[in-house]
Amino acid sequence: QVRLVESGGGSVQAGGSLRLSCTASGYPDSRYCMAWFRQAPGKEREGVAAICRDAVATYAESVKGRFTASQNNAYNILYLQMNNLKVDDTAMYYCATGPWSQNLQNGRLTVAYYSFWGQGTQITVSS
C-alpha cells in the first residue's frame, strides 16, 4: 500500500506564496507519477501539476507560470511552489500517485488514472 501525507497548506492573501509538500511511503514501483490535484467547493477535482519518472512536469493552464512542481532525488517527496496566488486557487489540494499505465502516461492530470490519494490540505486565498 502507498501512503501519501500532504503538508504546507494555509491561508494567504492574493499575490502571496505557499509551498506544499507530499511525502510518499511504500511500493516505489506504484509511484510512476506524483501529482497535485485540487477541489473547490461545488466543483470537480482537477489536476494542477504532475511529475513522472521521465522527469517531465505537466501543468494545468490555469497555474502555468505561477506554480512549480518538483521532486527530491529519491522520488518520494513532491513539492508544489505556488506563487502569485489568486482567490480562484482556493481549494483542498490533494497529492496523488499511481503505477505506470498507458492511460497515466497520456493523461497525467486525469483523476481517474491515479490509484493512491492523500487526505488533502486546505489552501485559502483571500483578496
Side-chain angles (χ1 to χ4, degrees):
Q1 185 72 340
V2 175
R3 184 168 181 252
L4 301 170
V5 178
E6 303 101 333
S7 61
S11 298
V12 66
Q13 287 193 322
S17 298
L18 284 172
R19 189 190 196 207
L20 301 182
S21 298
C22 170
T23 301
S25 58
Y27 298 108
D29 289 345
S30 295
R31 307 198 304 260
Y32 176 70
C33 293
M34 290 185 73
W36 290 102
F37 290 80
R38 66 186 181 187
Q39 187 166 18
K43 294 187 177 181
E44 292 188 355
R45 192 170 297 190
E46 62 176 2
V48 174
I51 293 185
C52 302
R53 293 295 182 103
D54 57 8
V56 173
T58 304
Y59 296 95
E61 285 296 324
S62 59
V63 306
K64 280 183 180 178
R66 300 188 299 121
F67 291 10
T68 302
S70 60
Q71 274 189 308
N72 66 337
N73 290 336
Y75 300 105
N76 68 327
I77 303 178
L78 176 69
Y79 303 100
L80 186 67
Q81 178 65 42
M82 303 182 292
N83 297 328
N84 191 22
L85 281 159
K86 303 178 180 180
V87 174
D88 286 348
D89 294 320
T90 296
M92 185 72 79
Y93 282 70
Y94 297 91
C95 179
T97 191
W100 185 91
S101 70
Q102 194 62 57
N103 282 337
L104 183 58
Q105 179 74 6
N106 296 332
R108 300 181 180 201
L109 296 181
T110 302
V111 171
Y113 300 154
Y114 285 83
S115 304
F116 305 101
W117 293 84
Q119 294 299 307
T121 186
Q122 178 68 35
I123 300 292
T124 301
V125 184
S126 58
S127 59

